[in-house]
Amino acid sequence: MMKRRDAISQIALLLGGAFTAPTLMAMDVRNGKSSIVAADFTLSDVQRKIVSAVAEHILPRTSTPGAIDAGVPSFIEMMLQDCYKKPEHYSFLKGANDLIKADFLGQSAAGQVAMLKLLESNTKDLMKNFSQKKIKVGDNIDKDTLEGANGVPFWRLMKELTLLGYYTSEKGVEASFIYEQTPGKYELITDMKPTQKSFMY
């Protein structure tokens, strides 16, 4: 059976092949490969509701469990508290507070989706600047300076941590994969149906 640690190393493929550097560092912390001093980071009750609502929009409950069913909101808070540094704490809290000010929770489901689409569009521009800063700095400088003072944007962190939490949870794996304990010969599947699960050996 695939272990949680092995699954984490493959989740980047779900985001187009790359996590941001702070998330890669956070995964190293959870895997025991590096350490970080736990910071004073907590979410308020309203911020937790924002995180839950946004995570559920990213991975909603359908015929399979959603992000809330898989415990993703508490996973996100735990990861941010234990494995991320202050720039990401700042950017995440700012993003959550911006949604509170915009009355995100008071919107209809369609209104919330429209707000998240706008946030997605704005984040693409922020990530372009984020990437350019990394390229200009080069490889021989510490990662705190490399990432800058503002941290990874809220929406990008939400997407990364929602996918990471869901696809490394028991419910997420059970909903997305078929476990074959004794596989036969290797056969390339090229005609998978949209609702067909992938295989895990």
Side-chain angles (χ1 to χ4, degrees):
M1 187 91 174
M2 180 181 285
K3 294 182 179 178
R4 184 183 181 93
R5 183 175 301 183
D6 299 325
I8 286 175
S9 66
Q10 298 181 26
I11 301 300
L13 298 175
L14 297 170
L15 285 174
F19 276 128
T20 54
T23 297
L24 292 173
M25 291 173 63
M27 288 190 285
D28 280 344
V29 171
R30 291 305 300 173
N31 288 339
K33 295 178 182 176
S34 62
S35 62
I36 189 171
V37 176
D40 183 17
F41 175 88
T42 56
L43 296 175
S44 68
D45 290 340
V46 178
Q47 289 167 339
R48 288 190 182 103
K49 289 179 181 178
I50 289 284
V51 170
S52 295
V54 174
E56 192 69 10
H57 277 299
I58 295 172
L59 285 171
R61 179 194 295 173
T62 54
S63 59
T64 57
I68 293 175
D69 297 319
V72 168
S74 58
F75 171 86
I76 289 173
E77 184 171 3
M78 177 273 295
M79 285 292 290
L80 283 164
Q81 182 175 7
D82 293 351
C83 304
Y84 283 81
K85 295 185 178 180
K86 287 185 178 180
E88 279 63 51
H89 295 167
Y90 171 81
S91 63
F92 193 88
L93 291 174
K94 180 181 183 304
N97 290 333
D98 286 346
L99 289 178
I100 292 171
K101 292 175 185 175
D103 192 27
F104 179 81
L105 295 174
Q107 305 296 315
S108 65
Q112 290 181 354
V113 169
M115 291 177 71
L116 294 178
K117 285 183 177 179
L118 179 60
L119 187 57
E120 168 87 20
S121 177
N122 293 339
T123 301
K124 286 180 181 178
D125 292 333
L126 291 173
M127 288 305 297
K128 287 178 184 177
N129 295 332
F130 188 79
S131 297
Q132 288 171 1
K133 287 178 183 177
K134 291 198 291 186
I135 292 169
K136 289 177 182 178
V137 171
D139 298 329
N140 299 318
I141 193 164
D142 69 47
K143 292 182 180 179
D144 288 339
T145 304
L146 186 68
E147 300 305 341
N150 294 326
V152 178
F154 168 81
W155 177 244
R156 181 59 188 254
L157 282 173
M158 273 298 310
K159 287 174 65 178
E160 290 185 350
L161 288 172
T162 298
L163 292 173
L164 185 61
Y166 186 81
Y167 288 105
T168 58
S169 71
E170 183 177 354
K171 288 188 176 180
V173 170
E174 287 179 350
S176 307
F177 298 96
I178 298 172
Y179 177 58
E180 297 287 356
Q181 188 172 6
T182 53
K185 66 178 182 179
Y186 176 79
E187 294 182 7
L188 180 63
I189 301 175
T190 58
D191 57 347
M192 288 185 69
K193 298 179 177 66
T195 57
Q196 183 177 346
K197 295 181 182 180
S198 185
F199 293 88
M200 180 183 294
Y201 299 114

